[in-house]
Coordinates of all heavy atoms in Angstrom, one line a residue:
M4 N 0.9 -1.2 0.0 CA 0.0 0.0 0.0 C 0.9 1.2 0.0 O 1.8 1.3 0.8 CB -0.9 0.0 1.2 CG -1.7 1.2 1.4 SD -2.8 1.2 2.9 CE -3.8 -0.2 2.6
N5 N 0.6 2.2 -0.9 CA 1.4 3.4 -0.9 C 0.9 4.4 0.1 O -0.1 4.2 0.8 CB 1.4 4.0 -2.3 CG 0.1 4.6 -2.8 OD1 -0.6 5.1 -2.0 ND2 -0.2 4.4 -4.0
L6 N 1.7 5.4 0.4 CA 1.5 6.3 1.4 C 0.1 7.1 1.2 O -0.6 7.3 2.2 CB 2.6 7.3 1.6 CG 2.6 8.3 2.7 CD1 2.5 7.5 4.1 CD2 3.8 9.2 2.7
R7 N -0.2 7.5 0.0 CA -1.4 8.2 -0.3 C -2.6 7.3 0.1 O -3.6 7.8 0.7 CB -1.5 8.6 -1.7 CG -2.7 9.5 -2.0 CD -2.9 9.8 -3.4 NE -1.8 10.4 -4.1 CZ -1.7 10.8 -5.3 NH1 -2.8 10.7 -6.1 NH2 -0.6 11.3 -5.8
D8 N -2.6 6.1 -0.2 CA -3.7 5.1 0.1 C -3.8 5.0 1.6 O -4.9 5.0 2.2 CB -3.5 3.8 -0.5 CG -3.7 3.8 -2.0 OD1 -4.4 4.7 -2.6 OD2 -3.1 2.9 -2.7
R9 N -2.7 4.9 2.3 CA -2.7 4.7 3.8 C -3.3 5.9 4.4 O -4.1 5.8 5.3 CB -1.2 4.5 4.3 CG -1.2 4.3 5.8 CD 0.2 4.2 6.3 NE 1.0 3.2 5.6 CZ 2.3 3.0 5.7 NH1 3.0 3.9 6.4 NH2 2.9 2.1 5.0
V10 N -2.9 7.1 4.0 CA -3.4 8.3 4.6 C -4.9 8.4 4.3 O -5.7 8.8 5.2 CB -2.7 9.6 4.0 CG1 -3.4 10.9 4.4 CG2 -1.2 9.6 4.5
A11 N -5.3 8.1 3.1 CA -6.7 8.2 2.8 C -7.6 7.2 3.7 O -8.6 7.6 4.2 CB -6.9 7.8 1.3
L12 N -7.1 6.0 3.9 CA -7.8 5.0 4.7 C -7.8 5.5 6.2 O -8.8 5.3 6.9 CB -7.2 3.6 4.6 CG -7.5 3.0 3.2 CD1 -6.7 1.6 3.1 CD2 -9.0 2.7 3.0
N13 N -6.7 6.0 6.6 CA -6.6 6.5 8.0 C -7.6 7.6 8.3 O -8.3 7.7 9.3 CB -5.2 6.9 8.4 CG -4.3 5.7 8.6 OD1 -4.8 4.6 8.9 ND2 -3.0 5.9 8.5
I14 N -7.7 8.5 7.3 CA -8.6 9.7 7.5 C -10.1 9.1 7.5 O -10.9 9.5 8.4 CB -8.5 10.7 6.3 CG1 -7.1 11.4 6.5 CG2 -9.6 11.7 6.3 CD1 -6.8 12.3 5.3
Q15 N -10.4 8.2 6.6 CA -11.7 7.6 6.6 C -12.0 6.9 7.9 O -13.1 7.1 8.5 CB -11.9 6.6 5.5 CG -12.0 7.2 4.1 CD -12.1 6.1 3.1 OE1 -12.3 4.9 3.4 NE2 -12.0 6.5 1.8
D16 N -11.1 6.1 8.4 CA -11.3 5.4 9.6 C -11.5 6.3 10.8 O -12.4 6.1 11.7 CB -10.2 4.4 9.9 CG -10.1 3.2 9.0 OD1 -11.1 3.0 8.3 OD2 -9.1 2.5 9.0
L17 N -10.6 7.3 10.9 CA -10.7 8.2 12.0 C -12.0 9.1 12.0 O -12.6 9.3 13.0 CB -9.5 9.2 12.0 CG -8.2 8.5 12.4 CD1 -7.0 9.3 12.0 CD2 -8.1 8.2 13.9
R18 N -12.4 9.5 10.8 CA -13.6 10.2 10.6 C -14.8 9.4 11.1 O -15.7 9.9 11.8 CB -13.8 10.7 9.2 CG -15.1 11.4 8.9 CD -15.2 11.8 7.5 NE -15.2 10.8 6.5 CZ -16.2 9.9 6.2 NH1 -17.3 10.0 6.9 NH2 -16.0 9.0 5.3
R19 N -14.9 8.2 10.6 CA -16.0 7.3 10.9 C -16.1 7.0 12.4 O -17.1 6.9 13.0 CB -16.0 6.1 10.1 CG -16.3 6.3 8.6 CD -16.1 5.1 7.8 NE -16.5 5.4 6.4 CZ -16.0 4.7 5.3 NH1 -15.2 3.7 5.5 NH2 -16.3 5.1 4.1
A20 N -14.9 6.8 13.0 CA -14.8 6.5 14.4 C -15.4 7.6 15.3 O -15.8 7.4 16.4 CB -13.4 6.2 14.8
R21 N -15.3 8.8 14.7 CA -15.8 10.0 15.5 C -17.2 10.3 15.1 O -17.8 11.3 15.5 CB -14.9 11.2 15.2 CG -13.6 11.1 16.0 CD -12.4 11.8 15.4 NE -11.2 11.6 16.2 CZ -10.5 10.5 16.4 NH1 -10.9 9.4 15.7 NH2 -9.4 10.5 17.1
G22 N -17.8 9.6 14.2 CA -19.2 9.8 13.8 C -19.4 11.0 12.9 O -20.5 11.6 12.9
L23 N -18.3 11.4 12.2 CA -18.4 12.6 11.4 C -18.7 12.3 9.9 O -18.2 11.3 9.4 CB -17.1 13.4 11.4 CG -16.6 14.0 12.7 CD1 -15.2 14.5 12.5 CD2 -17.5 15.0 13.2
S24 N -19.5 13.1 9.3 CA -19.7 12.9 7.9 C -18.5 13.5 7.1 O -17.8 14.3 7.7 CB -21.0 13.7 7.4 OG -20.8 15.1 7.5
Q25 N -18.4 13.2 5.9 CA -17.3 13.8 5.1 C -17.5 15.3 5.0 O -16.6 16.0 5.1 CB -17.3 13.1 3.7 CG -16.1 13.3 2.9 CD -16.1 12.5 1.6 OE1 -16.8 12.9 0.7 NE2 -15.3 11.4 1.6
E26 N -18.8 15.7 4.9 CA -19.1 17.1 4.8 C -18.7 17.9 6.1 O -18.1 19.0 6.0 CB -20.5 17.3 4.5 CG -20.9 18.7 4.2 CD -22.3 18.9 3.7 OE1 -23.0 17.9 3.5 OE2 -22.8 20.0 3.5
E27 N -19.0 17.3 7.2 CA -18.6 17.9 8.5 C -17.1 18.0 8.7 O -16.6 19.0 9.1 CB -19.2 17.1 9.7 CG -18.9 17.7 11.0 CD -19.4 19.1 11.3 OE1 -20.3 19.5 10.6 OE2 -18.7 19.8 12.1
L28 N -16.4 16.9 8.3 CA -14.9 17.0 8.4 C -14.4 18.0 7.5 O -13.5 18.8 7.8 CB -14.3 15.6 8.1 CG -12.8 15.6 8.1 CD1 -12.2 16.0 9.4 CD2 -12.3 14.2 7.7
A29 N -14.9 18.1 6.3 CA -14.4 19.1 5.3 C -14.7 20.5 5.9 O -13.8 21.4 5.8 CB -15.2 18.9 4.0
H30 N -15.8 20.7 6.5 CA -16.1 22.0 7.0 C -15.1 22.4 8.1 O -14.6 23.5 8.2 CB -17.5 22.1 7.6 CG -17.9 23.3 8.3 ND1 -18.1 24.5 7.6 CD2 -18.0 23.6 9.6 CE1 -18.4 25.4 8.5 NE2 -18.3 24.9 9.7
R31 N -14.8 21.4 9.0 CA -13.9 21.6 10.1 C -12.5 21.9 9.6 O -11.7 22.6 10.3 CB -13.9 20.5 11.1 CG -15.2 20.3 11.9 CD -15.2 19.1 12.8 NE -16.4 19.0 13.5 CZ -16.6 18.2 14.5 NH1 -15.5 17.5 15.0 NH2 -17.7 18.1 15.1
A32 N -12.1 21.3 8.5 CA -10.8 21.4 8.0 C -10.7 22.6 7.0 O -9.6 22.8 6.4 CB -10.3 20.1 7.3
D33 N -11.8 23.2 6.7 CA -11.9 24.4 5.8 C -11.5 24.0 4.4 O -10.6 24.6 3.8 CB -11.0 25.5 6.4 CG -11.3 26.9 5.7 OD1 -12.4 27.1 5.2 OD2 -10.4 27.7 5.5
V34 N -12.1 23.0 3.9 CA -11.9 22.5 2.5 C -13.3 22.1 2.0 O -14.2 21.8 2.8 CB -10.9 21.4 2.5 CG1 -11.4 20.2 3.2 CG2 -10.4 21.0 1.1
S35 N -13.4 22.1 0.7 CA -14.7 21.7 0.1 C -14.9 20.2 0.3 O -14.0 19.4 0.5 CB -14.8 22.0 -1.4 OG -14.0 21.1 -2.1
R36 N -16.2 19.8 0.3 CA -16.5 18.3 0.5 C -16.0 17.5 -0.6 O -15.5 16.4 -0.5 CB -18.0 18.1 0.6 CG -18.3 16.8 1.3 CD -19.2 15.8 0.6 NE -19.3 15.9 -0.8 CZ -18.7 15.0 -1.7 NH1 -17.9 14.1 -1.2 NH2 -18.9 15.1 -3.0
G37 N -16.0 18.1 -1.9 CA -15.5 17.4 -3.0 C -14.0 17.1 -2.9 O -13.5 16.1 -3.3
H38 N -13.3 18.1 -2.4 CA -11.9 18.0 -2.3 C -11.5 16.9 -1.2 O -10.6 16.1 -1.4 CB -11.3 19.4 -1.9 CG -9.8 19.5 -2.0 ND1 -9.2 19.7 -3.2 CD2 -8.8 19.4 -1.0 CE1 -7.8 19.7 -2.9 NE2 -7.6 19.5 -1.7
M39 N -12.3 17.0 -0.1 CA -12.1 16.0 1.0 C -12.4 14.6 0.4 O -11.7 13.6 0.7 CB -13.1 16.3 2.1 CG -12.9 15.3 3.3 SD -11.2 15.4 4.0 CE -11.3 17.0 4.8
G40 N -13.4 14.5 -0.4 CA -13.7 13.2 -1.0 C -12.5 12.6 -1.8 O -12.2 11.4 -1.8
K41 N -11.9 13.5 -2.6 CA -10.7 13.1 -3.4 C -9.6 12.7 -2.5 O -8.8 11.8 -2.9 CB -10.3 14.2 -4.4 CG -11.4 14.4 -5.5 CD -11.0 15.6 -6.4 CE -12.0 15.7 -7.5 NZ -11.8 16.9 -8.3
V42 N -9.4 13.4 -1.4 CA -8.3 13.0 -0.5 C -8.6 11.7 0.1 O -7.7 10.8 0.2 CB -8.1 14.1 0.6 CG1 -7.2 13.6 1.7 CG2 -7.6 15.4 0.1
E43 N -9.9 11.4 0.6 CA -10.2 10.2 1.2 C -10.2 9.0 0.2 O -10.1 7.9 0.6 CB -11.6 10.3 1.8 CG -11.6 10.9 3.2 CD -12.9 10.7 3.9 OE1 -13.7 9.8 3.5 OE2 -13.1 11.4 4.9
N44 N -10.4 9.3 -1.1 CA -10.4 8.2 -2.1 C -9.0 8.1 -2.8 O -8.9 7.4 -3.8 CB -11.5 8.4 -3.1 CG -12.8 8.2 -2.5 OD1 -13.1 7.1 -1.9 ND2 -13.7 9.2 -2.5
A45 N -8.0 8.8 -2.2 CA -6.6 8.7 -2.7 C -6.5 9.2 -4.2 O -5.7 8.8 -4.9 CB -6.0 7.4 -2.6
K46 N -7.4 10.1 -4.6 CA -7.4 10.6 -5.9 C -6.6 11.9 -6.0 O -6.2 12.4 -7.0 CB -8.8 11.0 -6.4 CG -9.8 9.8 -6.4 CD -9.4 8.9 -7.5 CE -10.5 7.8 -7.5 NZ -10.0 6.5 -8.1
F47 N -6.3 12.5 -4.8 CA -5.6 13.7 -4.7 C -4.5 13.6 -3.6 O -4.8 13.1 -2.5 CB -6.6 14.9 -4.4 CG -6.0 16.2 -4.3 CD1 -5.7 16.9 -5.4 CD2 -5.7 16.8 -3.0 CE1 -5.1 18.2 -5.3 CE2 -5.1 18.0 -2.9 CZ -4.8 18.7 -4.1
A48 N -3.4 14.1 -3.8 CA -2.3 14.1 -2.8 C -2.4 15.4 -2.0 O -2.2 16.5 -2.6 CB -0.9 14.0 -3.5
A49 N -2.8 15.3 -0.8 CA -3.0 16.5 0.1 C -1.7 17.1 0.5 O -0.7 16.4 0.7 CB -3.8 16.1 1.3
S50 N -1.7 18.4 0.6 CA -0.5 19.1 1.0 C -0.3 18.9 2.5 O -1.3 18.4 3.2 CB -0.7 20.6 0.8 OG -1.7 21.2 1.7
L51 N 0.8 19.1 3.0 CA 1.1 19.0 4.5 C 0.2 19.9 5.3 O -0.3 19.6 6.3 CB 2.6 19.3 4.8 CG 3.5 18.2 4.3 CD1 5.0 18.6 4.5 CD2 3.2 16.9 4.9
D52 N 0.0 21.1 4.7 CA -0.9 22.1 5.4 C -2.3 21.5 5.6 O -2.9 21.6 6.6 CB -1.0 23.4 4.7 CG 0.3 24.2 4.7 OD1 1.1 23.9 5.7 OD2 0.6 25.0 3.9
L53 N -2.8 20.9 4.5 CA -4.2 20.3 4.5 C -4.2 19.2 5.5 O -5.1 19.0 6.3 CB -4.7 19.9 3.1 CG -6.0 19.2 3.1 CD1 -7.1 20.1 3.8 CD2 -6.4 18.9 1.7
L54 N -3.2 18.3 5.5 CA -3.2 17.2 6.4 C -3.1 17.6 7.8 O -3.8 17.0 8.7 CB -2.0 16.3 6.1 CG -2.0 15.5 4.7 CD1 -0.7 14.8 4.5 CD2 -3.2 14.6 4.7
E55 N -2.4 18.7 8.1 CA -2.4 19.3 9.4 C -3.8 19.8 9.8 O -4.2 19.5 11.0 CB -1.4 20.4 9.5 CG -1.2 21.0 10.9 CD 0.0 22.0 10.9 OE1 0.0 22.9 10.1 OE2 0.8 21.8 11.9
R56 N -4.5 20.4 8.9 CA -5.9 20.9 9.2 C -6.8 19.7 9.5 O -7.7 19.8 10.4 CB -6.4 21.8 8.1 CG -5.7 23.1 8.0 CD -6.4 24.2 7.2 NE -7.1 23.8 6.0 CZ -6.6 23.9 4.8 NH1 -5.4 24.4 4.6 NH2 -7.3 23.5 3.8
I57 N -6.7 18.7 8.7 CA -7.5 17.5 8.8 C -7.2 16.8 10.2 O -8.2 16.5 10.9 CB -7.3 16.5 7.7 CG1 -7.8 17.1 6.4 CG2 -7.9 15.1 8.0 CD1 -7.5 16.3 5.1
A58 N -6.0 16.7 10.5 CA -5.6 16.1 11.8 C -6.2 16.9 13.0 O -6.8 16.4 13.9 CB -4.1 16.0 12.0
R59 N -6.1 18.2 12.9 CA -6.7 19.1 13.9 C -8.2 18.9 14.0 O -8.7 18.8 15.1 CB -6.3 20.6 13.6 CG -6.6 21.5 14.7 CD -6.1 22.9 14.5 NE -4.8 23.0 13.9 CZ -4.5 23.6 12.7 NH1 -5.5 24.2 12.0 NH2 -3.3 23.6 12.2
A60 N -8.8 18.8 12.8 CA -10.3 18.6 12.8 C -10.7 17.3 13.4 O -11.8 17.2 14.0 CB -10.8 18.7 11.4
L61 N -9.8 16.3 13.3 CA -10.1 15.0 13.8 C -9.6 14.9 15.3 O -9.8 13.8 15.9 CB -9.4 13.9 13.0 CG -10.0 13.7 11.6 CD1 -9.1 12.8 10.8 CD2 -11.4 13.0 11.7
N62 N -8.9 15.9 15.7 CA -8.4 16.0 17.1 C -7.3 14.8 17.3 O -7.4 14.1 18.3 CB -9.5 15.9 18.2 CG -9.0 16.4 19.5 OD1 -8.1 17.3 19.6 ND2 -9.6 15.9 20.6
V63 N -6.4 14.7 16.3 CA -5.4 13.7 16.5 C -4.0 14.3 16.1 O -4.0 15.4 15.5 CB -5.6 12.5 15.5 CG1 -6.8 11.7 15.9 CG2 -5.6 12.8 14.1
D64 N -3.0 13.7 16.5 CA -1.6 14.2 16.1 C -1.5 13.8 14.6 O -1.9 12.8 14.2 CB -0.6 13.4 16.9 CG 0.8 14.0 16.7 OD1 1.4 13.7 15.7 OD2 1.2 14.8 17.6
P65 N -0.9 14.7 13.8 CA -0.8 14.5 12.4 C -0.1 13.1 12.0 O -0.4 12.5 11.0 CB 0.0 15.6 11.9 CG -0.3 16.8 12.8 CD -0.4 16.1 14.1
E66 N 0.8 12.7 12.9 CA 1.5 11.4 12.6 C 0.5 10.2 12.5 O 0.8 9.2 11.9 CB 2.6 11.1 13.5 CG 2.2 10.7 14.9 CD 3.3 10.5 15.9 OE1 4.3 11.3 15.8 OE2 3.3 9.6 16.7
E67 N -0.7 10.3 13.2 CA -1.7 9.3 13.1 C -2.2 9.0 11.7 O -2.7 7.9 11.4 CB -2.8 9.5 14.1 CG -2.4 9.3 15.5 CD -3.6 9.0 16.4 OE1 -4.5 8.2 16.0 OE2 -3.6 9.5 17.5
L68 N -2.1 10.0 10.9 CA -2.6 9.9 9.5 C -1.7 9.0 8.7 O -2.1 8.5 7.7 CB -2.7 11.3 8.8 CG -3.7 12.3 9.5 CD1 -3.7 13.6 8.7 CD2 -5.1 11.7 9.7
F69 N -0.5 8.8 9.2 CA 0.5 8.0 8.5 C 0.7 6.6 9.1 O 1.5 5.8 8.5 CB 1.9 8.7 8.4 CG 1.8 10.1 7.7 CD1 1.5 11.2 8.5 CD2 1.9 10.2 6.4 CE1 1.5 12.5 7.8 CE2 1.8 11.4 5.7 CZ 1.6 12.5 6.5
T70 N 0.1 6.3 10.2 CA 0.3 5.0 10.9 C -0.2 3.8 10.1 O -1.3 3.9 9.5 CB -0.5 5.1 12.2 OG1 0.0 6.2 13.0 CG2 -0.3 3.8 13.0
K71 N 0.6 2.8 10.1 CA 0.1 1.5 9.5 C -1.0 0.9 10.4 O -0.8 0.9 11.6 CB 1.3 0.5 9.4 CG 2.2 0.8 8.2 CD 3.2 -0.4 8.1 CE 4.1 -0.1 6.9 NZ 5.0 -1.2 6.7
R72 N -2.0 0.5 9.8 CA -3.1 -0.1 10.6 C -3.3 -1.6 10.2 O -3.1 -2.0 9.1 CB -4.4 0.6 10.3 CG -4.2 2.1 10.7 CD -5.5 2.7 11.1 NE -5.2 4.1 11.4 CZ -5.4 4.7 12.5 NH1 -5.9 4.0 13.5 NH2 -5.2 6.0 12.7

């Protein structure tokens, strides 16, 4: 599994574990829902700035987005 796929799956898992919709996470991370969908589906390589905002919105340390599960 490549890093983009791992990050995408971790974001999905963390979002679902918190009971957030993709739209709510996108709002909290200040990004469009469509953009968030592309990140979660590994269609788009998110910038470090965006990953940091997503981690903050999920209330996790950014390194959790890169953890092997």
Side-chain angles (χ1 to χ4, degrees):
M4 175 181 298
N5 68 38
L6 187 57
R7 187 187 305 182
D8 291 334
R9 182 185 306 166
V10 169
L12 289 174
N13 285 340
I14 291 170
Q15 284 179 12
D16 289 347
L17 290 163
R18 175 180 60 76
R19 289 176 179 154
R21 283 153 179 73
L23 296 173
S24 68
Q25 198 175 70
E26 187 171 353
E27 179 62 25
L28 178 57
H30 175 73
R31 291 180 182 195
D33 195 30
V34 65
S35 74
R36 201 236 26 103
H38 194 81
M39 183 62 70
K41 289 178 182 175
V42 170
E43 279 196 11
N44 290 306
K46 303 287 185 208
F47 182 80
S50 69
L51 291 175
D52 291 336
L53 177 55
L54 292 175
E55 186 173 46
R56 292 196 321 261
I57 291 170
R59 193 174 317 122
L61 290 167
N62 199 30
V63 297
D64 192 281
E66 72 183 41
E67 285 203 43
L68 301 181
F69 299 94
T70 302
K71 282 187 179 183
R72 301 209 182 239

